[in-house]
Amino acid sequence: MSNEPLVKMRGITKRFGGVTALQDVDLDAYAGEVLAIVGDNGAGKSTLIKILTGVYQPSEGEMFLDGEKLEMASHSDSIDQGIDAVYQTLALADHLTPAANMFLGNELTKRFLGIAVLDNKRMKSEAARVLDERLGVRLRSMDVPTDSLSGGQRQAVAIARAVYHDDLRVLVMDEPTAALGPQETARTLKLIKALREQGLAVILISHSLDDVFEVADRIHVQRRGRGVGVVHTADSTVQDVLGMIVGAHDVAA
Ligand SMILES: Nc1ncnc2c1ncn2[C@@H]1O[C@H](COP(=O)(O)OP(=O)(O)O)[C@@H](O)[C@H]1O
Ligand SMILES: [Mg+2]
């Protein structure tokens, strides 16, 4: 972990009409770490990461990537800056192959008799390479519809699509294990660790404190739109974090 945060969010406030979803939130994320964001329903977790990924614009506050101010009008701006997200509701086209999904909207082409045609062979080999080299995943066949894969493999395809961009630096995952069984969850946590080893900043939203304590280096706790604290996983317990989520310490104070 380097000393300067790769991502800095400062004083982020977001209002939807009369609803204040976020109030003056600061967040730091470092290259080579997994930062978890936890909090009850409605605490502002998804809104916070939608701001980081350009989906929403903050009402107030500023963001920096590697010290440079981030200005994003849309999610494609965040992808251009090396910030992408994988959502629980995976936007995969079920009937297409893993390679077709990975390159959807970004197809590789080759020239044939002077005309640009899809380079299916190269998309397939590139997809297999990224799955293997970056995520340690080898599919039995690349020539199958994506809906024939397991939940964990589908997750890997969605992650591969994001990490294929060589300049990806920050990957946000919103509840990546929510729909998965225990074995698939373990595999997904392994993928997350592999991405951390590759130097990405991984930001993980999860309801599962088991997953969070297994994989995160630090935990940012949101409560009712506010950031109420950040702890190092190594120095804290599930009980400590639960207390912060529900505000037990406020009552005691
Ligand atoms: N598009 C929206 N319009 C109005 N209110 C919203 C919108 N998105 C989120 N909110 C409100 O903002 C608050 C935070 O929501 P959200 O970020 O989804 O929380 P979490 O992901 O922690 O469950 C909630 O009160 C929610 O109802
Ligand atoms: Mg949410």
Side-chain angles (χ1 to χ4, degrees):
M1 230 197 270
S2 64
N3 288 330
E4 272 299 301
L6 179 59
V7 173
K8 278 199 269 187
M9 302 178 82
R10 289 292 178 272
I12 301 292
T13 292
K14 178 65 178 176
R15 298 182 204 94
F16 294 103
V19 176
T20 302
L22 294 172
Q23 179 70 50
D24 198 17
V25 177
D26 293 345
L27 178 142
D28 288 334
Y30 293 84
E33 82 161 344
V34 178
L35 175 73
I37 303 180
V38 302
D40 266 340
N41 283 333
K45 306 179 295 294
S46 294
T47 304
L48 189 60
I49 60 107
K50 282 180 182 163
I51 288 173
L52 179 61
T53 54
V55 177
Y56 294 150
Q57 280 65 56
S59 308
E60 289 170 38
E62 295 183 309
M63 297 183 280
F64 303 88
L65 182 69
D66 220 0
E68 303 260 328
K69 189 149 190 235
L70 271 175
E71 305 278 5
M72 297 181 292
S74 69
H75 181 50
S76 61
D77 287 347
S78 94
I79 294 174
D80 290 346
Q81 304 270 2
I83 303 172
D84 204 350
V86 174
Y87 291 97
Q88 176 194 339
T89 45
L90 300 177
L92 294 174
D94 286 339
H95 59 288
L96 296 181
T97 63
N101 266 293
M102 260 189 65
F103 290 97
L104 201 59
N106 251 324
E107 285 81 4
L108 303 179
T109 57
K110 61 181 176 189
R111 288 258 166 221
F112 183 72
L113 304 177
I115 301 167
V117 295
L118 292 182
D119 192 346
N120 289 317
K121 202 170 146 197
R122 204 167 119 239
M123 285 192 273
K124 183 167 140 185
S125 64
E126 279 291 270
R129 183 184 65 77
V130 173
L131 283 166
D132 183 12
E133 289 178 6
R134 301 290 301 270
L135 302 174
V137 170
R138 282 181 207 167
L139 302 181
R140 204 169 306 138
S141 167
M142 293 294 291
D143 298 308
V144 292
T146 300
D147 66 359
S148 72
L149 303 178
S150 70
Q153 289 171 332
R154 291 163 56 80
Q155 187 79 253
V157 171
I159 296 169
R161 182 161 70 183
V163 303
Y164 183 68
H165 296 274
D166 285 334
D167 46 2
L168 183 76
R169 305 175 79 186
V170 181
L171 184 66
V172 174
M173 306 177 84
D174 196 347
E175 300 284 359
T177 61
L180 303 181
Q183 266 191 339
E184 297 284 314
T185 295
R187 288 202 191 101
T188 298
L189 297 179
K190 224 173 111 191
L191 299 188
I192 292 172
K193 290 177 187 172
L195 297 173
R196 166 174 61 199
E197 299 317 312
Q198 291 163 29
L200 292 186
V202 182
I203 300 180
L204 168 71
I205 295 183
S206 180
H207 271 99
S208 164
L209 290 184
D210 285 347
D211 290 1
V212 165
F213 273 81
E214 156 92 30
V215 79
D217 299 289
R218 296 185 308 131
I219 307 171
H220 168 108
V221 184
Q222 277 290 123
R223 186 169 74 250
R224 295 188 195 161
R226 291 175 185 270
V228 292
V230 181
V231 299
H232 285 269
T233 312
D235 318 327
S236 60
T237 64
V238 170
Q239 280 308 321
D240 294 337
V241 172
L242 276 173
M244 292 169 75
I245 290 172
V246 300
H249 300 293
D250 295 358
V251 180

